[in-house]
């Protein structure tokens, strides 16, 4: 997953304003108590950050990939 794809999914699945706020404010257990933004700044793979964000928010595997049925789900690291 590229960083651009990460942000597209944030906007689509979480909503642009709400999703961006969550990436800045929500501390994620799966990322060693960092926010998504902190993890991305620390060069954590975007797909790892996306999975951690979705896991924390309890977003189902089906819903976390947005409306595009052709979009492949990146595997967990």
């Amino acid at each position: 997953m590229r960083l651009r794809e990460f942000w597209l999914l944030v906007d689509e699945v979480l909503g642009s304003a709400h999703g961006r706020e969550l990436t800045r404010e929500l501390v994620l257990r799966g990322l060693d108590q960092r926010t998504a933004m902190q993890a991305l700044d620390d060069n954590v793979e975007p797909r790892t950050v996306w999975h951690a964000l979705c896991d924390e928010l309890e977003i189902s595997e089906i819903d976390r990939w947005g409306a595009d049925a052709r979009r492949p789900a990146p595997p967990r690291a």
Side-chain angles (χ1 to χ4, degrees):
M1 172 187 282
R2 294 186 172 129
L3 190 56
R4 182 179 75 72
E5 294 167 312
F6 171 86
W7 290 115
L8 286 173
L9 284 170
V10 167
D11 291 347
E12 184 177 340
V13 175
L14 303 173
S16 75
H18 183 65
R20 301 294 172 126
E21 182 69 19
L22 287 171
T23 63
R24 286 189 304 270
E25 301 296 328
L26 181 63
V27 175
L28 304 169
R29 292 175 292 209
L31 296 175
D32 298 325
Q33 302 302 316
R34 293 180 284 186
T35 66
M37 286 295 295
Q38 289 169 329
L40 291 170
D41 288 344
D42 290 342
N43 296 315
V44 175
E45 295 248 352
R47 72 174 174 189
T48 301
V49 176
W50 180 246
H51 281 296
L53 184 59
C54 289
D55 290 347
E56 188 76 26
L57 296 170
E58 298 181 352
I59 295 173
S60 71
E61 289 288 331
I62 294 169
D63 293 335
R64 66 179 63 187
W65 307 117
D68 186 354
R70 295 172 295 159
R71 181 182 288 138
R76 291 180 184 265

